[in-house]
């Protein structure tokens, strides 16, 4: 029996970005956004090909295999020029969400990651009923620490797979 793909997450906007629900059609453009090997210095891996990314996006859009969890993924479009610049994602389990973000190298240093993470945190609370937000950050990744801080998360004493857990309970910042 074929499975029905999970419904996409609701889109959201920030001052300069449109967060659009992930779709396989974005794979080719996103492969360019994610093409710099430097993006994988803390997380490992390598730039995906458009075909590999399309396959990943198809799996992500289908949703998790079990009930009780949502995979919410968005690509980030810069409103000023119409280009994709990265993505944000959240795994939502009831009132708790784990979030992550990636901004392509050419768009880094402009505040997009902090803006997107702050917008995502607010969106998860308002649209998803989330009451606790968590992110895991590699030690020494100062840029990601600044993004987590902008989103209202604070470091905890907990670690998972060599990464520090950052967390926030509502209220979180307003959408930028």
């Amino acid at each position: 029996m074929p499975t029905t793909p999970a419904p996409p997450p609701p889109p959201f906007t920030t001052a300069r970005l449109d967060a659009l629900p992930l779709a396989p059609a974005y794979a080719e453009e996103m492969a360019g956004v994610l093409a710099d090997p430097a993006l994988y210095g803390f997380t490992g891996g390598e730039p995906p090909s458009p075909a590999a990314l399309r396959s990943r996006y198809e799996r992500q859009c289908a949703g998790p295999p079990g009930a009780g969890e949502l995979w919410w993924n968005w690509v980030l479009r810069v409103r000023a020029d119409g280009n994709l610049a990265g993505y944000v994602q959240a795994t939502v389990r009831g009132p708790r969400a784990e979030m992550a973000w990636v901004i392509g190298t050419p768009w880094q240093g402009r505040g997009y990651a902090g803006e997107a993470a702050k917008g995502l945190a607010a969106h998860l609370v308002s649209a998803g009923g989330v009451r606790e937000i968590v992110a895991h950050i590699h030690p020494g990744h100062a840029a990601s620490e600044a993004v987590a801080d902008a989103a209202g998360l604070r470091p905890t004493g907990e670690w998972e797979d060599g990464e520090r857990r950052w967390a926030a309970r509502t209220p979180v910042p307003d959408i930028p």
Side-chain angles (χ1 to χ4, degrees), residues 18-104:
D18 293 323
L20 308 171
L22 182 69
Y26 294 121
E28 190 163 332
E29 186 176 355
M30 283 301 295
V33 172
L34 303 173
D36 186 350
L39 283 175
Y40 307 90
F42 287 103
T43 60
E46 59 187 39
S49 70
L53 206 52
R54 178 177 290 280
S55 178
R56 180 188 311 161
Y57 288 175
E58 288 169 352
R59 288 189 309 275
Q60 288 175 322
C61 289
E69 183 173 281
L70 298 170
W71 291 348
W72 281 1
N73 299 277
W74 298 264
V75 294
L76 300 169
R77 185 171 304 284
V78 178
R79 206 171 299 115
D81 63 17
N83 291 316
L84 295 182
Y87 66 86
V88 291
Q89 59 189 36
T91 299
V92 181
R93 293 177 196 96
R96 184 174 189 264
E98 292 193 31
M99 64 185 262
W101 53 86
V102 172
I103 298 295

Side-chain angles (χ1 to χ4, degrees), residues 23-24 30 42 68-69 82 94-95 107 110 114 121 136 148 152 162 167 170 172-173:
M30 283 301 295
F42 287 103
E69 183 173 281
W107 296 273
R110 302 179 193 185
H136 294 91
T170 56
V172 297

Side-chain angles (χ1 to χ4, degrees), residues 130-159:
V130 169
R131 297 295 169 245
E132 181 183 16
I133 300 170
V134 173
H136 294 91
I137 300 175
H138 191 282
H141 198 316
S144 280
E145 290 173 350
V147 170
D149 186 64
L153 281 66
R154 300 294 173 255
T156 71
E158 298 174 39
W159 293 79

